[in-house]
Amino acid sequence: MNKTLLIVDDSRVSRMMIRNLVAERKPGWQIIEAASGEEAITQTVENMPDCVTMDINMPGMDGLTAAAQIKKTCPKVRIVLLSANIQESSLLRARQIGVDFVAKPITAASIDKVIAYCERP
Amino acid sequence: MLELNDLEHDALIEIFNIGTGQAAAVLSQMMGDHIELSVPAVCFVSRLTAASELTADAGKRICGVSQRFQGAFNADAILMFPENQSLEIVRLLVGGDIPLDELTAMEQEALSEIGNIILNALIGTLANLLGWEFSCSLPIYHFGTSGEILHTEAKPETDLVMLLHIGLRLERHQINGYVAFLLDLSSLQGLREGIGRFLGGITG
């Protein structure tokens, strides 16, 4: 089934790489983007994506805070943290707020993991 | 000055070897090339001397990405590449189909993201190895000489730091870079305590 994916990352290059890799694998998916945690919350409320990829280290609201807020208001949205921050403390916080974690770099393998999380029943 | 004894020095090198190995594995995935690493070198020097340690030609312009990590100790981590190789690095990251003008337009952002991933892989491995937690600033892109990047003009010669640096080389593409850590000496006690815990874990 086709899904709507929201890519949240302050790096335009990262958003472009995620978009390209997802589009190659899932050409029917609608892809939207946000460049900050605040924008991610707005986009989620307005567009109700099925899945969100969320960077952690961003200017303004960080990805963990944004993910926690989205989970509160839109608990059905699946969120995958896609971040270079591989500290166990970050992984622990991801588990605490009920979101998945995939480590950067953005490669075919890491995007396959993201898609698998998004499609998990 | 707070110095490290031989065992602490060896442990520090080993910890950074592990962290740099993880960062190199990540860089290798991104660039599709084998990464050769030099043996980490550690010394206590002024920022001015640190700048000259990092490049054979201190006047040569380089591209760098730095992030400030704060936690058990505070450090500036910097990834540096020669100016004339930065576009090639960006091309390896985003693929070969992008026109040159677009590649140039995204150079700073792409290098910042590479730095973010590599420096986080390194510091994250250290944090996990030693049970620490660090907060990190956003990556900052720099362009200039190593002296300009390390802000040596604003610091007196007596401003000592612990410099830990590792050379890296993309084997097939013959691109050379450096990863450097600069710790303020006031942070050294925190680092030393972490090394002590690491050694305690090995020796029981």
Side-chain angles (χ1 to χ4, degrees):
Chain A
M1 195 180 80
N2 287 335
K3 295 183 182 295
T4 299
L5 172 69
L6 170 61
I7 299 168
V8 186
D9 201 305
D10 60 314
S11 162
R12 190 172 43 124
V13 173
S14 291
R15 294 197 304 272
M16 183 189 79
M17 292 173 72
I18 298 167
R19 175 184 280 274
N20 290 347
L21 285 164
V22 172
E24 277 173 18
R25 285 158 178 73
K26 298 288 173 186
W29 284 22
Q30 185 193 355
I31 299 173
I32 51 180
E33 298 183 11
S36 68
E38 292 88 346
E39 199 186 331
I41 292 170
T42 307
Q43 288 263 25
T44 302
V45 172
E46 286 176 2
N47 297 301
M48 288 306 287
D50 302 287
C51 190
V52 177
T53 68
M54 181 81 77
D55 187 20
I56 292 180
N57 199 18
M58 294 185 285
M61 183 186 289
D62 68 82
L64 281 163
T65 306
Q69 290 202 15
I70 291 171
K71 284 306 266 185
K72 271 186 196 166
T73 51
C74 308
K76 287 189 177 171
V77 175
R78 191 148 283 171
I79 300 174
V80 185
L81 293 170
L82 181 55
S83 172
N85 187 339
I86 59 167
Q87 295 183 58
E88 281 169 10
S89 52
S90 297
L91 273 62
L92 178 65
R93 277 179 208 143
R95 280 197 294 273
Q96 285 168 345
I97 57 177
V99 301
D100 294 303
F101 184 94
V102 174
K104 282 185 179 178
I106 298 157
T107 60
S110 61
I111 293 303
D112 285 342
K113 281 186 198 167
V114 168
I115 290 172
Y117 281 132
C118 291
E119 292 187 321
R120 196 172 47 192
Chain B
M1 191 203 312
L2 184 58
E3 294 277 6
L4 300 175
N5 64 36
D6 286 349
L7 192 58
E8 289 170 334
H9 180 274
D10 285 356
L12 179 66
I13 295 293
E14 180 58 15
I15 290 165
F16 273 82
N17 255 331
I18 296 167
T20 315
Q22 181 63 35
V26 168
L27 185 62
S28 177
Q29 281 179 54
M30 294 165 81
M31 300 288 132
D33 198 349
H34 177 72
I35 312 293
E36 284 176 16
L37 293 171
S38 71
V39 176
V42 62
C43 53
F44 295 89
V45 293
S46 69
R47 279 183 182 258
L48 193 61
T49 309
S52 57
E53 288 275 335
L54 291 176
T55 49
D57 179 359
K60 199 172 174 181
R61 298 183 82 77
I62 51 181
C63 294
V65 180
S66 71
Q67 279 179 282
R68 177 87 175 156
F69 291 89
Q70 293 183 297
F73 62 84
N74 302 333
D76 291 308
I78 309 165
L79 177 69
M80 285 170 281
F81 289 106
E83 174 198 5
N84 61 358
Q85 294 181 318
S86 61
L87 265 185
E88 175 68 1
I89 294 162
V90 177
R91 194 186 62 74
L92 289 172
L93 176 72
V94 298
D97 301 335
I98 311 277
L100 183 63
D101 54 341
E102 278 184 44
L103 210 58
T104 307
M106 64 174 67
E107 181 181 0
Q108 286 192 22
E109 217 169 328
L111 283 173
S112 295
E113 185 61 5
I114 291 170
N116 183 42
I117 293 170
I118 299 306
L119 298 176
N120 268 283
L122 175 48
I123 207 82
T125 303
L126 301 187
N128 295 342
L129 203 58
L130 298 168
W132 286 335
E133 183 178 356
F134 291 94
S135 61
C136 62
S137 71
L138 295 169
I140 300 168
Y141 174 85
H142 305 272
F143 174 67
T145 64
S146 54
E148 287 163 349
I149 290 174
L150 298 184
H151 305 297
T152 52
E153 79 286 356
K155 307 279 181 178
E157 173 65 21
T158 53
D159 177 21
L160 288 175
V161 292
M162 191 192 86
L163 170 68
L164 197 146
H165 64 108
I166 303 129
L168 54 90
R169 179 180 171 81
L170 278 69
E171 194 177 64
R172 196 154 40 87
H173 296 91
Q174 302 201 346
I175 294 171
N176 295 295
Y178 305 86
V179 175
F181 268 76
L182 281 93
L183 277 82
D184 304 331
L185 289 194
S186 58
S187 289
L188 204 55
Q189 188 57 39
L191 176 65
R192 194 174 208 172
E193 285 167 13
I195 293 169
R197 281 200 300 276
F198 177 74
L199 287 169
I202 293 170
T203 59

